[in-house]
Amino acid sequence: MGPFYGYALPFPGGGDVAPVAATDTVTLHGYVRDGSGAPVPDALIELWQADEDGGLAGAPGSMRRDPVDGGHLGRNGVDFTGFARVPTDADGHWTARTVKPGARPGHPPYISVCVFARGLLHHLFTRVYFPEDTRAHTDDPLLASLDAERRETLLATAEGATGSYRFDIRLQGEKETVFLDFHR
C-alpha cells in the first residue's frame, strides 16, 4: 500500500497562495484523472508561481512550523508565498486561491505544477498558462515547441467573469497533459 500523499503532507490553508486581503485573486481548480478518465482521489498538487509583478520572492519559511501554535511560518495571510500544496478530494478535484502571476522576461504568465499520485514512480511537472495571454504564448519556447492539440493541455479555461480558471490534469491516455522532463 501507499504512498499516502493525503497523510501529513497537506496542511491547513495549503491552497491559499494569495494574501487574505488581496482583492484581485483568482481561483485555480481542476480534476486529476487517470488514463481511463477515472478520478484520482489521493493525488497531491503543488504549485509554484511568480507574484503579480513577475517576481519570484515569495514569503520564506512557508513550510516551517511555528513551535507554539503549530501554524506555518510565512503563511500568515498577509504575505504572498508563491507556493501551494493541495490534495485532491474523493472526486479527484483540487482548488487553490492565488493571484494571476505576472510575465517574466521571455515567458508569458504561468504557474508551475507538480503532481504526486499513486502509480507514479516519479512526480510529474507541468505548467498552467492563462487563456487571455495568447499573444505572449507565441513567444514561449515550450508552447512554441508543441502542436496545437498538445499545447491545449497546458491552457487553463476561464470560467466566466468570476476570476475562476479550470485546469484538469490527465495522467495518461487521450488528451494526456504535457509533462516536462528536467535533466541535471
Side-chain angles (χ1 to χ4, degrees):
M1 299 298 271
F4 300 105
Y5 296 114
Y7 178 75
L9 289 175
F11 54 92
D16 296 327
V17 183
V20 172
T23 56
D24 33 336
T25 61
V26 297
T27 298
L28 182 62
H29 73 100
Y31 292 86
V32 178
R33 301 205 180 275
D34 66 16
S36 65
V40 179
D42 52 359
L44 188 69
I45 306 298
E46 288 187 349
L47 307 173
W48 296 282
Q49 71 170 90
D51 63 23
E52 58 269 26
D53 298 319
L56 294 175
S62 65
M63 293 305 300
R64 289 184 305 125
R65 286 201 178 267
D66 183 319
V68 176
D69 65 11
H72 290 273
L73 299 171
R75 296 189 79 84
N76 57 13
V78 176
D79 298 315
F80 175 79
T81 65
F83 175 77
R85 178 182 288 157
V86 291
T88 56
D89 64 16
D91 295 323
H93 188 255
W94 60 275
T95 303
R97 183 184 153 278
T98 188
V99 297
K100 186 172 177 238
R104 296 181 51 239
H107 297 281
Y110 68 84
I111 296 177
S112 297
V113 179
C114 184
V115 181
F116 300 85
R118 61 181 154 84
L120 297 178
L121 296 178
H122 300 283
H123 44 280
L124 301 172
F125 294 96
T126 190
R127 289 181 179 173
V128 179
Y129 290 88
F130 295 87
E132 59 271 15
D133 301 317
T134 53
R135 188 163 191 216
H137 291 167
T138 59
D139 297 329
D140 184 79
L142 172 61
L143 292 176
S145 72
L146 301 170
D147 63 50
E149 188 176 321
R150 298 293 289 143
R151 189 177 316 119
E152 229 175 78
T153 71
L154 298 178
L155 297 177
T157 304
E159 296 185 321
T162 63
S164 181
Y165 294 88
R166 181 168 171 174
F167 182 73
D168 293 337
I169 300 167
R170 186 71 179 251
L171 297 178
Q172 63 184 46
E174 187 178 340
K175 295 188 179 185
E176 176 183 326
T177 302
V178 169
F179 295 107
L180 309 175
D181 187 16
F182 291 105
H183 300 278
R184 292 183 215 190

